Amino acid sequence: MTTRSLLNRLFKTASIHSYFKRFEAQMQSSTFVEHLHELCAAKNCKPAHVILKSGLYRTLGHQLFNGFRKPTRDKVIQLAFGFELDYAQSQQLLKKAKKSLLCPRIKRDALIIFTISRRHTFLETQDMLHEQGLPLLGERK
C-alpha cells in the first residue's frame, strides 16, 4: 500500500485505534538500531564486516550498532556504504536515523548519490570528494 493510500485512509478514519489495528503491518516501527540488525540479517553479514567497509572506527561502529551512540548524518551514510546499499536503501537508512536525506541540489550530496548509485566503495567516494575539494565523510567541519 502506498503512503498516499495510507494517508487518504487516515483522513477518512473515525478512530485512530481502528486505523492502527488495520494498518499496523504497513507502518514503520523498527528503530535505527533494529534496522541495522535487520539489514545484517537480510544481507547475511556481521556488524564487524559492515563497520570495516564503512570506514568507521571499530569502537564507534559497535556503539552505533548497540545503540550506545547516536549517529551523525555522515556516519549513517558511511554505514550505507558498509552495507553496500543502493540509493533508495540509503535514503531509508537516513530516514530511520532521522537525518536529512541526500539531495541532488547539494554538490556534496550529488557526488555521494552518484557514487552510491554506481556501487563505489567508501574509499572511492572519499577520493572523489577530496578531488572535488568537498568535505570528506566523517570529517569535522
Side-chain angles (χ1 to χ4, degrees):
M1 178 171 289
T2 66
T3 302
R4 184 176 294 262
S5 299
L6 280 173
L7 185 59
N8 287 334
R9 290 177 187 241
L10 180 58
F11 286 140
K12 294 176 184 175
T13 193
S15 164
I16 192 66
H17 299 294
S18 62
Y19 175 83
F20 286 159
K21 187 174 181 180
R22 184 167 180 202
F23 299 109
E24 185 174 7
Q26 284 86 16
M27 300 178 79
Q28 297 178 354
S29 59
S30 62
T31 66
F32 176 70
V33 171
E34 290 168 339
H35 190 68
L36 292 179
H37 292 284
E38 290 166 2
L39 284 170
C40 281
K43 293 186 169 281
N44 196 25
C45 62
K46 296 184 180 197
H49 182 69
V50 174
I51 292 165
L52 180 66
K53 289 174 62 176
S54 69
L56 292 170
Y57 290 113
R58 187 173 56 91
T59 303
L60 172 61
H62 286 289
Q63 288 173 340
L64 295 174
F65 268 89
N66 292 322
F68 296 135
R69 298 235 352 229
K70 291 187 187 240
T72 63
R73 182 175 186 260
D74 276 7
K75 299 304 180 209
V76 176
I77 295 168
Q78 285 180 248
L79 286 168
F81 280 104
F83 277 113
E84 298 179 356
L85 301 180
D86 64 21
Y87 171 73
Q89 293 167 324
S90 299
Q91 295 287 66
Q92 182 64 28
L93 188 61
L94 285 163
K95 282 182 193 175
K96 286 286 184 182
K98 298 179 180 165
K99 304 298 177 189
S100 60
L101 301 181
L102 292 166
C103 176
R105 292 180 185 268
I106 300 169
K107 190 174 182 179
R108 182 175 185 255
D109 282 8
L111 187 144
I112 293 167
I113 293 168
F114 177 87
T115 60
I116 286 172
S117 67
R118 285 169 177 73
R119 302 284 186 192
H120 288 235
T121 66
F122 167 72
L123 291 177
E124 290 169 333
T125 301
Q126 292 290 70
D127 286 343
M128 291 180 72
L129 287 166
H130 177 74
E131 288 170 7
Q132 293 297 315
L134 297 168
L136 301 178
L137 285 165
E139 182 178 78
R140 292 198 172 182
K141 292 159 177 79

